[in-house]
Amino acid sequence: MQKLTRAALGILLAVGLPVLATASEPSATGLGQAWPNAADVSASPNWHVYVFVLNGVKYIQVNDLNGNVIGAVGTAGGQFITLPIGRFAQYVSTQPTQSSRAITVYRDNATVISVTPTSNGIAALNAASTSDDPCQDPEQCGSGGSP
């Protein structure tokens, strides 16, 4: 019985240590939800952006004002992957783009996310490395972000 208790404690510690080590990172739960229990870090008042981190991968989710998930990406080490969640998941791009209609909704030291509304009601998301961003100076590009 004592060996079983030690084994269970060992498993709990092994599982619990990574959680404690990342306690200062944003939450890793709520991805895909309309109103996740996470801070809204949007750079635009017309969109909601939530960031989640799990095992060194940053997940960035964009919602519209009604809480509808538009799309999401995962990023680590300058690489991106589109996630199959959101109303417009098929319109998420991870290639640098230039559009006069693009609105920057999120920017950190490595990533810039923009939304481009289209005439048919689709909101196309674009995720790129900040080094690929065609607008490095928001004052020159205006509040919308990309030129």
Side-chain angles (χ1 to χ4, degrees):
M1 181 68 176
Q2 188 175 12
K3 288 182 182 180
L4 183 59
T5 303
R6 285 185 188 170
L9 180 59
I11 291 170
L12 287 174
L13 286 175
V15 171
L17 287 179
V19 172
L20 293 175
T22 60
S24 63
E25 293 180 344
S27 170
T29 61
L31 183 65
Q33 295 179 359
W35 305 107
N37 188 17
D40 182 350
V41 295
S42 180
S44 169
N46 298 319
W47 301 93
H48 299 290
V49 178
Y50 305 99
V51 176
F52 309 92
V53 177
L54 181 62
N55 296 328
V57 178
K58 183 182 288 186
Y59 300 94
I60 305 166
Q61 172 180 311
V62 178
N63 291 13
D64 67 15
L65 286 177
N66 296 319
N68 297 307
V69 179
I70 300 302
V73 297
T75 182
Q79 300 296 313
F80 292 90
I81 185 170
T82 60
L83 302 177
I85 64 170
R87 188 174 183 178
F88 300 122
Q90 67 271 29
Y91 300 104
V92 177
S93 170
T94 60
Q95 302 299 316
T97 64
Q98 292 185 354
S99 170
S100 61
R101 296 177 45 200
I103 301 163
T104 299
V105 296
Y106 176 79
R107 179 187 296 273
D108 64 19
N109 62 347
T111 305
V112 61
I113 307 283
S114 62
V115 176
T116 305
T118 64
S119 59
N120 59 357
I122 293 170
L125 254 58
N126 180 260
S129 167
T130 52
S131 63
D132 294 332
D133 184 20
C135 182
Q136 293 295 319
D137 185 355
E139 287 187 23
Q140 287 183 343
C141 296
S143 62
S146 298

